[in-house]
Amino acid sequence: MNGRSRARSLGVVVGPLPTGPLNAITDVEGVLVGHTTIDDGAALRTGVTAIVPRPVRPLPAAVHTGNGYGKLVGSTQVDELGVLESPIVLTGTLSVFRAADAVLTYLMGLHPGGLSFNPLVGETNDGFLSDIRRRPITERHVLDALEGASGGLPAEGCVGAGTGTTALGFKAGIGTSSRRQVVDGVPVTVGALVQANFGGVLTVRGVPMPVEELVPGAGRPEPPGNSCMIVVATDAPLDARQLGRLARRAIFAMGRVGASYSHGSGDYAIAFSTASRSPVLPDAALDPVFAAVLDAVEEALLNSLFMATTTTGVHGHTSHAVPYDAVARSAPPGPRA
């Protein structure tokens, strides 16, 4: 996509489970992803990422708040009803409200007679690399991401809502991954997409890789409002309560890559199911799904870093890409079970 490589291409394989064909959230049938990127090569490094279940219809869903220092518009109704009624849109913090209004325009177009809608829009603070106070996101940017969403392999790294993000001391962005399991005799796909912008020390298969050591002289950029948005999609037949259990595991997976879970980190996971069949899986059968979530989110987070490129933005701030030679020297061989 941009001369960078995903984790598996670098020999970093997370866990023993098979991936879907694309190793992406779009391996879950009917889940599409679209991006709009704003990058003027200087002070604006931001954008929009849309996760669009097709057709747009009420789906069982849950939100888990790892740390609530963030703005997740529409989350309380998902908590109350256990239903996702809209695509999920991600952007920069100060643009989240304009983005929510744009999603409202999109939903009103789909349902001309509707009188109440619940857009679900999340954010991370990309103000370290982008002039966040300019609030450059317009309705057209959001509609382009929604209307252009597709089922192919989503672009990763410095794209869409990940254009200006930094995580674990390095340039990060959007990442995605998937896993397949057979659960209680039912084939199941779990996909994850992340917008990574949080603090800590990069850890690859248990090996810490501090930016100070991998990029001497780089320093440690710690943007204000470090955060992470995680979206988990599955075709497993699950209810909202069970999806809440998946969302909690998604937040746990951040610890595998070295997250610090700091005071100012808004860490949220949204999980939804596209399954049309019933009954739901029994709780006792969910361990393989939990394992799939943990591995898919961990690899998505690594992809968000490994696919990102060194970026200089507003005020001359720079976030450095993870150097592949250091990963090759330090990461242990073989999959981590």
Side-chain angles (χ1 to χ4, degrees):
M1 296 178 188
N2 57 10
R4 299 285 286 174
S5 298
R6 306 183 84 196
R8 286 181 179 246
S9 297
L10 299 174
V12 179
V13 178
V14 177
L17 301 177
T19 72
L22 299 174
N23 191 17
I25 195 171
T26 46
D27 287 324
V28 179
E29 186 175 357
V31 177
L32 314 180
V33 174
H35 299 296
T36 301
T37 299
I38 300 174
D39 188 346
D40 67 357
L44 290 180
R45 309 278 195 170
T46 191
V48 176
T49 294
I51 300 91
V52 186
R54 288 278 175 84
V56 177
R57 67 193 191 281
L59 297 172
V63 172
H64 177 67
T65 303
N67 191 60
Y69 202 117
K71 293 85 183 159
L72 181 53
V73 175
S75 64
T76 57
Q77 185 167 312
V78 177
D79 286 338
E80 186 72 17
L81 302 182
V83 174
L84 175 68
E85 298 180 353
S86 82
I88 299 164
V89 165
L90 308 176
T91 189
T93 300
L94 296 188
S95 294
V96 71
F97 310 103
R98 289 180 174 176
D101 188 69
V103 178
L104 181 59
T105 296
Y106 175 81
L107 293 172
M108 291 176 70
L110 291 179
H111 307 286
L115 299 179
S116 178
F117 303 92
N118 187 47
L120 190 61
V121 180
E123 51 79 29
T124 71
N125 190 320
D126 54 17
F128 181 73
L129 291 174
S130 190
D131 186 355
I132 196 168
R133 289 178 61 88
R134 285 170 63 178
R135 294 180 293 164
I137 300 299
T138 67
E139 181 176 277
R140 188 68 259 165
H141 292 130
V142 178
L143 294 179
D144 284 349
L146 290 165
E147 294 166 358
S150 70
L153 176 62
E156 296 174 288
C158 306
V159 65
T163 303
T165 64
T166 293
L168 302 168
F170 295 94
K171 184 66 186 78
I174 299 295
T176 188
S177 185
S178 69
R179 294 294 185 275
R180 285 186 162 172
Q181 283 273 38
V182 176
V183 183
D184 206 32
V186 178
V188 165
T189 300
V190 173
L193 182 142
V194 304
Q195 178 193 18
N197 192 53
F198 56 97
V201 175
L202 174 62
T203 302
V204 180
R205 289 210 301 258
V207 178
M209 298 187 180
V211 64
E212 299 89 346
E213 296 180 8
L214 270 63
V215 187
R220 174 170 284 276
E222 288 291 350
N226 299 334
S227 299
C228 189
M229 290 297 310
I230 305 171
V231 179
V232 174
T234 184
D235 56 10
L238 303 175
D239 61 24
R241 179 187 59 80
Q242 294 171 319
L243 289 163
R245 302 186 73 193
L246 266 61
R248 287 193 286 279
R249 270 67 181 182
I251 296 293
F252 298 162
M254 292 173 61
R256 290 183 170 188
V257 299
S260 58
Y261 299 108
S262 67
H263 156 72
S265 193
D267 303 321
Y268 298 91
I270 304 160
F272 66 90
S273 172
T274 62
S276 57
R277 60 189 184 276
S278 59
V280 299
L281 292 170
D283 283 335
L286 293 184
D287 280 353
V289 186
F290 294 158
V293 170
L294 286 162
D295 286 355
V297 172
E298 180 180 0
E299 186 164 340
L301 290 166
L302 293 176
N303 284 337
S304 78
L305 287 131
F306 294 165
M307 288 295 290
T309 56
T310 296
T311 301
T312 298
V314 68
H315 307 309
H317 294 164
T318 298
S319 288
H320 294 269
V322 176
Y324 292 159
D325 58 341
V327 174
R329 288 196 307 268
S330 303
R336 196 197 73 175

